[in-house]
């Protein structure tokens, strides 16, 4: 990878027990750049054999890692954090090459998610147990936390490095070894993190990255009792299957699944500020984010004005290769995604909606799609019910607060929602009435290291971020200590 300053970050082998290795079968997966379909390289197509080897390595490493003095373990993980920070420009370039997003977005991904590692290192030193008042004479019940064991993490292509850091940061900080299965489309940023983990002094077997066949890897993990935790970010459908398979050995699971985020704009909102926020939450990462605004709902009295302001901003978005300075919108992940977006727009048109901006594959060809605005979107349209995951914005009018709340909750998903209003009472009514794990009010940023990121309903379970992130990777232990009068 000639464009990298640090050539050691680019690896085409998987990382097991501190060593770079191929799949025993010799089979590989080809990785391409969605901006031009050029081949970036290959990675091993690992399966059950390599997965068992990674589990064996993690099991061997676990005792030493969990029993290491907390300050020493945290120092090593923080060294990893610092190396990531020092190499963030190269890591961002890798992300853009394999995923397509603009370099600005890629740098933001590194910064935002590396902050999770630092937070977890600092907070691990404050993971306190309790001494509980007892009804039993001369006895004291106490609780403490212990690392749950080997963790298996499945990460998505849209935040290929960020989701690894959100899972590995807390797992490593509390003393768990981890095996990471990155998306086959975007493995290189994860393998770069493995290189830096090795340089930071994370012991062999504690941090492993395997690439390859999800089906055979997941089956091996699900059947092995030694793996005690599965953490997954991806589609609801795949998450359900992982939960079913994990039940065979009663593993703990964390699932950050699909989203269908509403952005509700009331007539009393600051429209310019609302447009500014929604531009970010809709088009950041080319719209390929689980908390992206999926359904924009605008009160009818300001509907036309909002659309005028919004379209004016959308038309100024620059589409191009993510490595080109000034690019706002890169390619979507693959040609299938282009076909999916085209089908969503066509479905909306057939059911009475209107395309007022964009609406088709971009003239650049390949995996590029025009930034698109569709008005008059209704509940029966696919883009209202399905996660768009691309630079397509559907706008729906509403009349009353009650209607807005109904429309916002009219989905099986419950990850994130957004509200724009200057009415404090309405703010609290909407916050409490909207069925989402996270709600942004007059704000575009939801994901920071200090907060419990996650959804409800079919958007998943568990939390990433804040103190809750650490507790996803520990067991609560309890002892009743008696005979204290003797």
């Amino acid at each position: 990878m000639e464009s990298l300053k640090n050539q050691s970050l680019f690896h085409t082998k998987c990382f097991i027990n501190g060593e770079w290795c191929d799949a025993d079968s010799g089979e590989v997966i080809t990785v391409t750049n969605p901006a031009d379909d050029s081949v970036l390289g290959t990675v091993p197509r690992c399966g059950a054999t390599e997965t068992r080897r990674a589990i064996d390595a993690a099991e061997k490493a676990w005792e030493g890692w969990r029993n290491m003095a907390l300050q020493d373990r945290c120092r090593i993980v923080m060294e990893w954090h610092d190396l990531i920070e020092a190499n963030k420009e190269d890591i961002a370039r890798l992300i853009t090459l394999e995923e397509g997003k603009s370099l600005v977005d890629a740098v933001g991904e590194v910064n935002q998610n590396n902050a999770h590692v630092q937070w977890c290192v600092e907070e691990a030193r404050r993971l306190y147990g309790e001494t509980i008042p007892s009804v039993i004479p001369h006895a004291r019940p106490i609780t403490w936390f212990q690392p749950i064991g080997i963790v298996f993490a499945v990460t998505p292509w849209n935040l290929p490095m960020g989701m690894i850091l959100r899972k590995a940061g807390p797992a490593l900080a509390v003393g768990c070894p981890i095996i990471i299965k990155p998306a086959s489309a975007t493995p290189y940023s994860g393998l770069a993190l493995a290189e830096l983990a090795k340089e930071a002094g994370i012991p062999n077997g504690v941090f492993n990255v395997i690439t390859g066949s999800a089906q055979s890897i997941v089956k091996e993990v699900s059947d092995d009792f030694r793996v005690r935790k599965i953490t997954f970010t991806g589609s609801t459908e795949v998450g359900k299957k992982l939960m079913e398979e994990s039940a065979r050995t009663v593993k703990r699971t964390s699932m950050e699944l699909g989203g269908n985020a509403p952005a509700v704009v009331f007539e009393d909102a600051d429209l310019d500020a609302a447009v500014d926020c929604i531009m970010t939450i809709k088009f950041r990462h080319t719209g390929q984010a689980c908390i992206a605004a999926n359904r924009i709902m605008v009160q009818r009295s300001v509907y036309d004005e909002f659309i005028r302001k919004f379209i004016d901003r959308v038309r100024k978005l620059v589409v191009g290769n993510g490595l080109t300075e000034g690019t706002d919108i890169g390619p979507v992940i693959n040609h299938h995604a282009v076909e999916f977006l085209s089908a969503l727009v066509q479905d909306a048109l057939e059911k009475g909606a209107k395309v007022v901006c964009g609406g088709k594959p971009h003239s650049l060809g390949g995996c590029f799609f025009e930034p698109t605005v569709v008005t008059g979107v209704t509940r029966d349209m696919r883009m209202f019910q399905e996660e768009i995951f691309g630079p397509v914005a559907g706008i729906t009018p509403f009349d009353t607060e009650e209607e807005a709340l109904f429309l916002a909750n009219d989905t099986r998903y419950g990850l994130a929602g957004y509200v724009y209003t200057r009415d404090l009472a309405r703010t609290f009514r909407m916050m409490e009435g909207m069925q989402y794990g996270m709600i942004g009010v007059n704000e575009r940023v939801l994901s920071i290291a200090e907060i419990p990121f996650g959804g409800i309903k079919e958007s998943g379970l568990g939390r990433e971020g804040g103190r809750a992130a650490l507790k996803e990777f520990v067991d609560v232990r309890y002892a009743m200590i008696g005979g204290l009068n003797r």
Side-chain angles (χ1 to χ4, degrees):
M1 190 68 66
E2 295 180 358
S3 61
L4 300 182
K5 296 177 184 177
N6 183 355
Q7 292 291 314
S8 70
L9 293 178
F10 183 69
H11 284 278
T12 59
K13 299 178 185 290
C14 59
F15 187 72
I16 299 175
N17 200 27
E19 297 181 351
W20 299 102
C21 52
D22 293 310
D24 287 359
S25 66
E27 295 182 8
V28 296
I29 297 169
T30 300
V31 182
T32 59
N33 182 343
D36 57 13
D37 290 325
S38 62
V39 174
L40 297 174
T42 62
V43 290
R45 190 182 293 275
C46 297
T49 301
E50 294 77 22
T51 305
R52 283 194 298 273
R53 193 183 308 153
I55 296 172
D56 289 343
E59 182 186 35
K60 184 177 180 180
W62 184 34
E63 182 175 0
W65 185 241
R66 72 186 178 195
N67 290 328
M68 182 181 292
L70 177 60
Q71 64 269 28
D72 292 335
R73 187 169 67 237
C74 288
R75 176 184 52 77
I76 292 172
V77 179
M78 196 61 197
E79 175 65 19
W80 185 50
H81 165 278
D82 293 345
L83 286 170
I84 294 168
E85 172 65 23
N87 288 275
K88 69 180 178 182
E89 291 184 7
D90 275 345
I91 296 173
R93 182 169 290 269
L94 276 175
I95 293 169
T96 296
L97 286 168
E98 63 185 357
E99 196 271 350
K101 68 182 62 173
S102 72
L103 197 56
V104 171
D105 276 348
V107 171
E109 178 180 340
V110 180
N111 288 335
Q112 182 184 68
N113 293 287
N114 203 24
H116 283 255
V117 178
Q118 181 174 1
W119 166 266
C120 290
V121 167
E122 295 168 347
E123 196 66 11
R125 301 172 70 92
R126 292 178 284 274
L127 199 58
Y128 307 130
E130 296 178 306
T131 300
I132 302 167
S134 176
V135 297
I136 301 173
H138 313 300
R140 294 289 185 274
I142 65 170
T143 67
W144 70 99
F145 297 101
Q146 286 190 333
I148 193 171
I150 299 172
V151 174
F152 177 65
V154 183
T155 57
W157 53 261
N158 63 320
L159 292 164
M161 186 278 302
M163 290 300 100
I164 292 176
L165 294 183
R166 289 199 193 193
K167 299 173 190 305
L172 295 174
V174 300
C176 295
I178 190 167
I179 302 166
I180 296 159
K181 162 63 176 77
S184 294
T186 55
Y188 292 131
S189 48
L191 292 168
L193 292 180
E195 170 64 32
L196 297 179
K198 186 174 185 178
E199 292 181 21
I202 294 178
N204 293 347
V206 171
F207 189 94
N208 307 275
V209 180
I210 54 176
T211 58
S213 169
Q215 185 174 359
S216 58
I217 290 172
V218 168
K219 185 180 185 308
E220 188 66 30
V221 167
S222 298
D223 289 341
D224 197 316
F225 180 79
R226 295 175 295 174
V227 178
R228 299 312 310 144
K229 165 87 177 188
I230 292 181
T231 173
F232 170 74
T233 298
S235 72
T236 295
E237 290 70 26
V238 174
K240 289 178 179 179
K241 292 178 182 177
L242 277 173
M243 292 177 70
E244 290 175 2
E245 295 183 12
S246 299
R248 292 200 295 268
T249 47
V250 196
K251 302 184 194 303
R252 180 108 59 94
T253 61
S254 297
M255 298 284 157
E256 200 264 275
L257 307 178
N260 191 2
V264 183
V265 181
F266 286 98
E267 60 187 0
D268 66 310
D270 180 332
L271 282 191
D272 290 327
V275 168
D276 194 44
C277 286
I278 293 173
M279 285 295 298
T280 299
I281 62 176
K282 173 67 254 185
F283 294 105
R284 180 175 47 202
H285 306 308
T286 314
Q288 299 175 122
C290 55
I291 59 172
N294 206 63
R295 298 169 296 147
I296 302 170
M297 304 168 190
V298 183
Q299 198 154 22
R300 201 175 300 274
S301 57
V302 293
Y303 182 74
D304 291 338
E305 183 181 0
F306 176 89
I307 290 172
R308 284 196 300 271
K309 291 176 179 290
F310 190 63
I311 291 174
D312 182 60
R313 293 286 301 278
V314 173
R315 285 176 174 157
K316 294 176 182 177
L317 292 172
V318 177
V319 180
N321 189 309
L323 293 178
T324 302
E325 187 175 354
T327 293
D328 299 306
I329 302 293
V332 292
I333 188 63
N334 54 36
H335 293 275
H336 174 73
V338 174
E339 295 170 1
F340 175 75
L341 294 172
S342 297
L344 290 185
V345 172
Q346 184 60 34
D347 172 79
L349 287 173
E350 291 173 356
K351 293 174 180 175
K354 182 180 179 181
V355 174
V356 294
C357 181
K360 61 185 185 297
H362 198 276
S363 58
L364 289 172
C367 297
F368 291 94
F369 200 90
E370 295 177 341
T372 297
V373 179
V374 182
T375 60
V377 174
T378 54
R379 293 173 58 213
D380 61 328
M381 296 176 187
R382 287 181 57 191
M383 69 169 55
F384 190 93
Q385 297 295 337
E386 300 179 32
E387 190 169 21
I388 295 172
F389 237 63
V392 176
I395 306 180
T396 301
F398 69 88
D399 292 299
T400 66
E401 182 180 317
E402 291 75 20
E403 182 186 5
L405 188 58
F406 170 78
L407 290 171
N409 290 335
D410 186 26
T411 175
R412 61 178 177 155
Y413 299 106
L415 185 58
Y418 304 88
V419 178
Y420 299 92
T421 179
R422 286 181 281 194
D423 183 324
L424 183 60
R426 172 179 284 153
T427 294
F428 277 87
R429 290 194 300 269
M430 293 298 291
M431 282 169 47
E432 294 173 2
M434 290 174 68
Q435 299 168 6
Y436 293 87
M438 303 175 290
I439 298 173
V441 180
N442 301 324
E443 182 53 71
R444 75 192 72 195
V445 177
L446 280 181
S447 181
I448 59 175
E450 294 80 4
I451 60 94
F453 185 101
I456 60 176
K457 300 194 293 188
E458 290 199 11
S459 284
L461 48 86
R463 292 294 182 267
E464 293 180 341
R467 187 173 175 84
L470 298 173
K471 291 189 175 180
E472 293 288 341
F473 297 95
V474 293
D475 286 321
V476 180
R477 303 292 300 276
Y478 148 74
M480 177 70 79
I481 304 173
L484 298 182
N485 62 328
R486 298 188 184 96

